[in-house]
Amino acid sequence: MSTMGDGTRAVRAGLPEPQQFEPTLPGPAFAAHFHLSGEPVGPYTYGRDTNPTWTHLERAIGELEAPGEPVETTVFASGMAAVSAVLLSQARTGDIVVLPDDGYQALPLVREQLEAYGVEVRTAPTGGDAQLAVLDGAKLLWIETPSNPGLDVCDVRRLVGAAHAAGTLVAVDNTLATPLGQRPLELGADFSVASDTKGMTGHGDILLGHVTCRDPELAAGVRRWRKVVGAIPGPMEAWLAHRSLATLELRIDRQCATALTLAEALGKRQGVTGLRYPGLPTDTSYPNAVRQMRRFGSVVSFVLPDRERAERFLTELRLVDDATSFGGVRSTAERRARWGGDAVPEGFIRFSVGAESPDDLVADVERALDAALGES
């Protein structure tokens, strides 16, 4: 499948060989245990270890992460379970881990846990490849690019080159881009990690995450961590996720095209500042993004003058849900500062573009801006 287009690959990924009178994608296997006589060897022994529904999904994700290459994928109950599996399976007391200081809001929780275990944690911003300055002696470098919610993009190849030269492992949180937008393993990373709750499954109805590795030993450590903590997805969630992958290219292409259209429209509005979208040629992230990304994602961020006008904008939207996730077929937006923890202004809006008709969505945003900024 390495020479196939993204749409074909997404539709066919992870499917078993055709069997007469059997479904194309087998239904979810609801099983806590399996028939197991004699020695406990074989692919399926106990439901916390393996499940055939996970197997199909893990193969599918692997085919998207690294087409035509041997990789191992482990699926988890959530994105944070996947993040934690990498960091907590690799770091030991006395190790140094480098995190972004502008990454996903829950990363500080992981930092606290790492430090409680005696791991030294250093942080630096994503932009400007600033993590390079604190890399010395690190066991693991954690990259999030584009960053959430600021949408900065670092040079993954440059960071990987420096890290590997120093014997440091590299993990990339690829949630915002998805494998159709960016392939961290092709850029040299050791781990590609994502919250599949977002763009990969794309319907806002599943919590899921994954880790993909080329190195079987690293993959074994991640898989062992899943077994130890039991952070396993339910078979129904895994099956729904696999089904959702079939429309991945269709969804992502519409979302990315509309996101660029929306960003261009926002760039013309008075009262809108701090506009960020990696696919805009004028964006500071664009030079890095265009070298390593194939699609630029569904998220646009911008700043309105204050909290009151930001909340008025969100209230006036008719086609956009005020919700905290991103990557779904229904557009969402939120005033990100309401959560605390992100270094953003009170009027900062993170906008996730869905699959609505572009003209309808842009018109809805324009109308809401008129109401919020007093331009109606």
Side-chain angles (χ1 to χ4, degrees):
M1 293 180 68
S2 59
T3 60
M4 291 183 179
D6 285 341
T8 305
R9 188 176 299 112
V11 168
R12 304 297 306 175
L15 297 182
E17 289 297 317
Q19 299 291 330
Q20 186 77 343
F21 310 122
E22 293 294 323
T24 304
L25 177 61
F30 296 100
H33 58 265
F34 302 85
H35 290 295
L36 183 66
S37 58
E39 293 300 314
V41 295
Y44 306 109
T45 58
Y46 185 66
R48 192 182 68 254
D49 299 337
T50 51
N51 178 290
T53 309
W54 303 349
T55 300
H56 295 312
L57 176 60
E58 288 171 344
R59 287 173 181 167
I61 293 173
E63 289 169 15
L64 297 174
E65 286 276 12
E69 298 185 33
V71 295
E72 293 188 30
T73 295
T74 305
V75 291
F76 289 86
S78 69
M80 278 307 298
V83 170
S84 300
V86 174
L87 289 165
L88 297 175
S89 71
Q90 298 303 312
R92 302 286 185 271
T93 300
D95 285 343
I96 298 168
V97 169
V98 176
L99 301 178
D101 63 13
D102 55 349
Y104 179 52
Q105 187 188 53
L107 270 183
L109 300 176
V110 183
R111 175 181 183 169
E112 290 176 11
Q113 193 62 57
L114 287 167
E115 291 174 337
Y117 290 153
V119 176
E120 178 185 342
V121 179
R122 300 172 184 164
T123 63
T126 300
D129 299 340
Q131 289 174 295
L132 287 172
V134 294
L135 199 55
D136 186 46
K139 170 71 178 296
L140 176 68
L141 167 63
W142 185 273
I143 297 170
E144 184 179 309
T145 181
S147 62
N148 170 30
L151 301 182
D152 279 319
V153 175
C154 60
D155 185 336
V156 175
R157 291 185 183 91
R158 182 187 181 201
L159 286 164
V160 166
H164 284 176
T168 302
L169 295 170
V170 180
V172 176
D173 184 334
N174 199 43
T175 300
L176 199 145
T178 80
L180 266 62
Q182 181 173 264
R183 292 182 184 144
L185 299 184
E186 289 186 358
L187 300 173
D190 300 289
F191 304 90
S192 181
V193 189
S195 169
D196 301 318
T197 308
K198 313 298 194 300
M200 283 285 276
T201 58
H203 290 79
D205 54 8
I206 300 170
L207 290 175
L208 199 81
H210 80 267
V211 178
T212 302
C213 309
R214 277 202 180 94
D215 186 327
E217 187 175 344
L218 294 177
V222 170
R223 198 169 290 266
R224 180 180 182 278
W225 181 263
R226 181 181 67 180
K227 178 178 179 178
V228 168
V229 300
I232 59 172
M236 191 67 196
E237 286 78 8
W239 185 86
L240 286 169
H242 196 165
R243 183 196 65 169
S244 297
L245 289 181
T247 60
L248 181 60
E249 186 196 45
L250 297 173
R251 292 185 279 107
I252 295 295
D253 279 352
R254 166 60 75 87
Q255 290 169 287
C256 291
T258 306
L260 179 59
T261 299
L262 177 62
E264 291 170 342
L266 289 168
K268 300 172 183 176
R269 295 287 311 218
Q270 290 189 347
V272 173
T273 60
L275 175 65
R276 298 300 306 273
Y277 182 65
L280 272 177
T282 54
D283 192 278
T284 56
S285 287
Y286 184 78
N288 277 337
V290 77
R291 285 196 301 268
Q292 66 193 29
M293 298 183 73
R294 297 155 59 239
R295 295 170 175 86
F296 299 109
S298 64
V299 178
V300 179
S301 67
F302 56 96
V303 180
L304 297 180
D306 51 42
R307 173 176 178 166
E308 180 181 2
R309 278 176 278 194
E311 291 183 347
R312 174 74 187 278
F313 166 71
L314 294 169
T315 300
E316 291 289 338
L317 290 167
R318 296 171 183 166
L319 301 179
V320 182
D321 296 330
D322 191 341
T324 192
S325 196
F326 62 86
V329 291
R330 287 173 287 278
S331 291
T332 60
E334 71 170 337
R335 192 180 67 82
R336 191 64 187 165
R338 65 180 176 175
W339 295 98
D342 291 319
V344 296
E346 286 294 323
F348 182 97
I349 301 293
R350 185 182 71 181
F351 196 109
S352 174
V353 175
E356 298 88 358
S357 297
D359 290 347
D360 294 336
L361 185 63
V362 173
D364 190 42
V365 170
E366 296 274 20
R367 183 193 51 74
L369 286 172
D370 288 343
L373 300 175
E375 300 175 20
S376 56

